[in-house]
Amino acid sequence: MADESEATASNLSPAEDHGTAPRETETLNDPASRPDEPLEDEEMPLADHIEEMIKRLAIIIAVAGLVTAVALPFSERVINFLWYSIIPFDQLGEQARPRLYHPLALVLTELKVASLAGVVIALPVFVYETYLFMRPGLYPHERRYYLAAVPTSLVLAVVGVSFAFFLVLPAVFTYFITYTKDAAVLAFGLSKTFNLILMLMGYLAVVFQIPLFIMLAIMMGLTTRRWLADRRLLFWGGFLGVSFLFTPDPTGMAPILVTLTMITLFESTLFLLKWTGN
């Protein structure tokens, strides 16, 4: 019997002898047979995670600081451009000229304007550094999506700043002038006025990241479109609270505009996901 078994095995043709190889390859390529965890994922001590996180945060801060330093020599030109583009000089005449009520008001405003450029550039750097931090735990398709989010983040930040410049800020200042011009003599302090301008621009640069954050969260399996849609009223309330907290306008005009913008971005992203079926 042993001789017959050996003879049977030896009579197999090379094609039959290697017939199992393609089936093994097909099994490896089958999505159902892929490992449950990314191949590079490995356990690290908590101290190592914290150390790496601090290093990546330091890189983000360093990039923001470098961009701020480069933009500082051009900040005075940017101040003049923003001021006379947003404040309706044709309506107010000399009243629209900026007033300095502090000896360091101009210098501090220049620093704030330069730091806005640092924030805008630091946003995609933040996305990229978080990608590097999470890379060992990501699947290949997740890595592709995350890398695509880096330039997308910069584009959304620029769109957010432009939205503030062309729509939100002109509406806010028109409203301010309308309800104050008959009650008092208008005078615009450079420092206080630019605090509002830069706060809204920087805030909306971050706000316009909402679609990107939602897409990444769903892609990573952290949430689902249905879960977000079922809790939309909670998100709306959160948007309103955050807007009043970070928008320096006690009249409520700017926070309401920003809240409506956040809700529109949130709902538009959910609608797009539902429409595309993703």
Side-chain angles (χ1 to χ4, degrees):
M1 295 296 292
D3 294 340
E4 291 180 2
S5 300
E6 292 174 1
T8 303
S10 63
N11 289 333
L12 288 175
S13 64
E16 292 172 336
D17 188 35
H18 294 85
T20 57
R23 287 194 293 271
E24 290 177 358
T25 304
E26 291 172 1
T27 303
L28 290 174
N29 291 331
D30 186 1
S33 66
R34 292 174 185 169
D36 294 332
E37 297 181 357
L39 297 178
E40 297 182 24
D41 194 17
E42 60 182 25
E43 293 292 334
M44 291 179 61
L46 179 60
D48 291 345
H49 279 296
I50 295 175
E51 181 181 357
E52 183 181 0
M53 191 183 309
I54 293 174
K55 288 180 179 179
R56 302 205 177 281
L57 180 60
I59 293 174
I60 297 170
I61 295 173
V63 170
L66 179 61
V67 174
T68 299
V70 172
L72 188 58
F74 308 97
S75 57
E76 187 172 348
R77 298 179 186 177
V78 176
I79 289 173
N80 287 324
F81 172 75
L82 292 176
W83 188 275
Y84 292 107
S85 298
I86 295 172
I87 307 296
F89 189 80
D90 55 340
Q91 299 180 23
L92 301 175
E94 289 298 315
Q95 285 184 303
R97 294 180 66 84
R99 268 67 172 179
L100 299 179
Y101 298 107
H102 189 278
L104 297 178
L106 180 58
V107 176
L108 293 176
T109 303
E110 290 176 349
L111 285 172
K112 293 173 184 177
V113 170
S115 63
L116 176 63
V119 169
V120 172
I121 299 301
L123 281 172
V125 177
F126 169 78
V127 175
Y128 182 67
E129 290 299 324
T130 55
Y131 160 75
L132 293 178
F133 181 76
M134 301 174 64
R135 187 178 186 277
L138 299 177
Y139 290 103
H141 70 283
E142 293 174 336
R143 294 177 182 177
R144 290 195 297 270
Y145 289 140
Y146 221 121
L147 283 176
V150 176
T152 304
S153 176
L154 179 59
V155 171
L156 290 174
V158 172
V159 172
V161 171
S162 302
F163 182 79
F165 176 75
F166 289 107
L167 294 176
V168 177
L169 285 168
V172 168
F173 277 96
T174 299
Y175 172 70
F176 287 166
I177 293 169
T178 300
Y179 83 81
T180 57
K181 67 179 182 179
D182 296 330
V185 177
L186 290 175
F188 295 93
L190 179 68
S191 182
K192 295 290 186 181
T193 304
F194 254 91
N195 283 346
L196 175 61
I197 293 174
L198 297 178
M199 181 68 75
L200 282 175
M201 283 186 165
Y203 185 41
L204 283 168
V206 177
V207 162
F208 268 74
Q209 308 295 311
I210 288 177
L212 181 62
F213 292 155
I214 292 176
M215 296 282 192
L216 287 176
I218 292 177
M219 178 205 73
M220 300 290 292
L222 302 177
T223 186
T224 62
R225 188 199 66 82
R226 171 55 58 191
W227 188 90
L228 294 172
D230 290 343
R231 292 159 178 81
R232 55 168 38 95
L233 293 181
L234 294 177
F235 282 97
W236 292 8
F239 294 156
L240 183 62
V242 171
S243 297
F244 271 96
L245 181 63
F246 289 101
T247 306
D249 174 19
T251 66
M253 176 68 174
I256 290 174
L257 287 177
V258 173
T259 301
L260 293 176
T261 302
M262 297 175 77
I263 292 175
T264 301
L265 290 170
F266 179 81
E267 293 297 332
S268 299
T269 306
L270 295 185
F271 174 77
L272 178 63
L273 291 171
K274 182 178 182 180
W275 182 63
T276 58
N278 294 326

